[in-house]
Amino acid sequence: TGENYNKDSIFVKNLVSDLSATSEELFASIKTVSEAINDIANSSSEGAAGTSDITNRITKIASQATEVKVESD
C-alpha cells in the first residue's frame, strides 16, 4: 500500500543518510591515519639521514686520529 511504501522510503532514506555519515567519518579517520603514517615515514628518513651523517663524521674522526698516530710514531 501507499502507507507501507512511504514508511519503507523513509527507512531507506534514513539508512542511506546514516551510511553516508558513517562513510564520511571513516574517510576522516583513514585520512588521519594516513597522515600519521606519512609523518612517521618522514621522521624515519630524517633519522636515517642523521645516522648516516654521524657515521661519516665518526669515520672522518677515526681517519684523522689514525693520521695523528702515524705522524707521532
Side-chain angles (χ1 to χ4, degrees), residues 10-73:
I10 291 171
F11 174 78
V12 170
K13 178 185 173 209
N14 291 337
L15 183 66
V16 170
S17 292
D18 289 346
L19 180 59
S20 176
T22 301
S23 296
E24 288 176 15
E25 291 173 8
L26 180 59
F27 175 76
S29 295
I30 289 171
K31 183 178 177 189
T32 301
V33 170
S34 177
E35 290 170 352
I37 290 170
N38 191 39
D39 289 346
I40 291 168
N42 288 338
S43 294
S44 295
S45 293
E46 290 171 6
T51 301
S52 178
D53 183 49
I54 291 168
T55 301
N56 290 336
R57 290 177 188 216
I58 289 172
T59 300
K60 184 176 179 181
I61 290 168
S63 175
Q64 290 171 346
T66 301
E67 288 175 20
V68 168
K69 183 179 183 289
V70 167
E71 290 177 10
S72 67
D73 286 341

